[in-house]
Amino acid sequence: MPIVYFVVPCYNEEEVLPETIKRLNLKLQELISSGKADIKSRMLFVDDGSKDKTWEIISAFSETNIYVGGVKLSRNRGHQNALLSGLMTAKEHCDCAISLDADLQDDINVIDEFIDKYTDGCEIVYGVRSSREKDTFFKRSTAQSYYKLMKSLGVDIVYNHADYRLMGKNALDALAEYSEVNLFLRGIVPLIGYRTDYVYYERNERFAGESKYPLKKMLKFAIDGITSFSVQPLKIISNLGIMICFLSIIGFIYALVSFFMGSAVSGWASTICSIWFLGGLQMLCIGIVGTYVGKIYSEVKHRPRYRIEKTIIRQNSKGD
Ligand code: UDP
Ligand code: MG
């Protein structure tokens, strides 16, 4: 039976926490009594520098309920960092950790399926939303175009998967090896490998409180996702430079023709051609410099180059 940890990042969640702890506790007790999770399983709530009573609620519950654990960050570090700190704390105690939001928008009844897949040998199980009907039109369309954009930039992320997932101990150890500061877990987790699977669920609306992801934070998150995983935008600059150089040659021919036909004002052809050509050349050069910057960027991230899942080395038997 695996030791399961629920890892829940919380930022100003006093309105939802008491109910969330109650519901998660029921789920955990059900898992333990049905023999799916070990008695050492826990719920771990990470207070991401909240300004309200979030931490007081967590510590009060932990006094009466041994299954409630807490981690308090010294200040607000954002959802991704809060989640990582929780996972890294859980890693020392658990066999697998399930990350979920404090507002329980993600259906907790599929947790059984998560654990079944883990027991079958999966290291990572992704929770995938089966539909986005409950989202506003704005959120739905921006989210979907974002997934498409990421795909076209060559970033491997799971479609319609937020941070509702199970990770086994090996996957968590692998995650610990990624030392990057601009964290975008949805991009890193698929890089880890191992056997993975998906669980489909319906996402509900927040039962209380407000979204802690205003548009500004969401945009930063989206840009982080692209710039932490793709150097494609730098290549776009080079390509644009090449294209403009090419266009300037066409422009040059056009200017020459106008010049000889006498329809151009004197000085126009040489001015316009040099502006275009130099513009293109400069952009191409920025692109080339950018390519090196891109390389430096991937070097400084110090991502692990590989991770061995199994090794077989057979020894000679004695006397050989
Ligand atoms: N969250 C966090 N730190 C932050 C912002 C959000 O830990 O700076 C947590 C929040 O408490 C919640 C989860 O991240 O558990 C997802 O946030 P929210 O539900 O507000 O986002 P939405 O579902 O609206 O995208
Ligand atoms: Mg939410």
Side-chain angles (χ1 to χ4, degrees):
M1 257 184 289
I3 303 177
V4 182
Y5 266 57
F6 297 158
V7 177
V8 189
C10 314
Y11 178 56
N12 294 344
E13 297 286 14
E14 62 180 9
E15 279 167 279
V16 297
L17 257 184
E19 179 66 22
T20 298
I21 296 178
K22 208 174 94 199
R23 291 195 203 174
L24 276 181
N25 187 43
L26 275 177
K27 186 79 215 167
L28 190 63
Q29 298 313 323
E30 188 191 306
L31 290 170
I32 293 173
S33 54
S34 63
K36 284 200 167 174
D38 192 275
I39 186 103
K40 292 204 235 25
S41 300
R42 294 287 180 271
M43 299 170 265
L44 191 63
F45 296 90
V46 182
D47 173 19
D48 182 16
S50 301
K51 292 176 186 73
D52 63 359
K53 297 236 155 45
T54 299
W55 180 248
E56 281 80 352
I57 296 172
I58 297 170
S59 55
F61 269 91
S62 72
E63 273 163 31
T64 52
N65 185 347
I66 184 179
Y67 294 97
V68 177
V71 171
K72 186 179 189 323
L73 298 191
S74 60
R75 53 166 282 219
N76 181 239
R77 296 299 298 130
H79 173 229
Q80 300 286 291
N81 289 311
L83 183 53
L84 183 73
S85 73
L87 291 174
M88 292 301 112
T89 312
K91 177 168 88 75
E92 308 304 322
H93 310 277
C94 71
D95 295 316
C96 64
I98 299 173
S99 49
L100 65 168
D101 289 351
D103 51 14
L104 297 192
Q105 282 185 285
D106 307 306
D107 183 7
I108 58 170
N109 293 314
V110 296
I111 288 180
D112 299 73
E113 279 179 63
F114 273 106
I115 297 176
D116 288 343
K117 300 220 157 154
Y118 171 76
T119 328
D120 283 350
C122 287
E123 263 303 309
I124 302 173
V125 187
Y126 297 100
V128 175
R129 297 174 62 175
S130 40
S131 79
R132 277 190 172 263
E133 273 159 25
K134 293 209 174 104
D135 277 0
T136 59
F137 174 74
F138 177 73
K139 186 129 188 179
R140 189 167 56 224
S141 46
T142 46
Q144 272 164 358
S145 8
Y146 185 65
Y147 285 111
K148 291 202 182 109
L149 177 67
M150 290 292 267
K151 264 249 134 64
S152 68
L153 292 175
V155 188
D156 183 20
I157 53 174
V158 178
Y159 195 67
N160 272 350
H161 156 74
D163 283 305
Y164 188 27
R165 74 174 86 78
L166 175 145
M167 293 177 80
K169 178 93 172 62
N170 291 328
L172 291 170
D173 283 337
L175 180 64
E177 288 171 20
Y178 287 80
S179 52
E180 53 207 79
V181 180
N182 296 300
L183 202 57
F184 187 72
L185 289 170
R186 281 168 227 189
I188 299 178
V189 176
L191 298 179
I192 292 174
Y194 291 116
R195 212 174 113 193
T196 56
D197 210 337
Y198 307 89
V199 163
Y200 296 89
Y201 70 97
E202 284 291 333
R203 190 168 155 112
N204 305 314
E205 273 154 43
R206 220 175 216 280
F207 67 82
E210 287 170 3
S211 170
K212 308 295 179 296
Y213 256 106
L215 193 62
K216 202 173 127 206
K217 265 194 193 171
M218 220 159 78
L219 276 177
K220 184 189 172 295
F221 184 58
I223 293 172
D224 256 0
I226 295 174
T227 50
S228 295
F229 283 87
S230 177
V231 287
Q232 209 66 21
L234 296 172
K235 289 199 186 128
I236 294 175
I237 301 180
S238 304
N239 292 343
L240 215 63
I242 294 173
M243 215 167 74
I244 292 176
C245 281
F246 183 71
L247 281 178
S248 80
I249 293 172
I250 298 178
F252 183 65
I253 297 169
Y254 171 73
L256 270 188
V257 172
S258 325
F259 176 75
F260 282 115
M261 284 174 51
S263 58
V265 183
S266 123
W268 171 79
S270 52
T271 316
I272 212 77
C273 288
S274 35
I275 288 176
W276 272 82
F277 185 68
L278 281 177
L281 201 64
Q282 276 166 351
M283 198 169 263
L284 178 61
C285 293
I286 295 174
I288 293 171
V289 174
T291 311
Y292 286 96
V293 175
K295 290 254 154 85
I296 297 171
Y297 183 52
S298 49
E299 291 290 341
V300 296
K301 272 195 291 218
H302 263 288
R303 283 188 181 165
R305 278 172 286 191
Y306 55 83
R307 194 172 164 80
I308 296 173
E309 184 169 340
K310 285 188 183 119
T311 339
I312 298 180
I313 299 174
R314 303 187 59 188
Q315 304 290 342
N316 291 347
S317 53
K318 265 186 196 152
D320 272 4

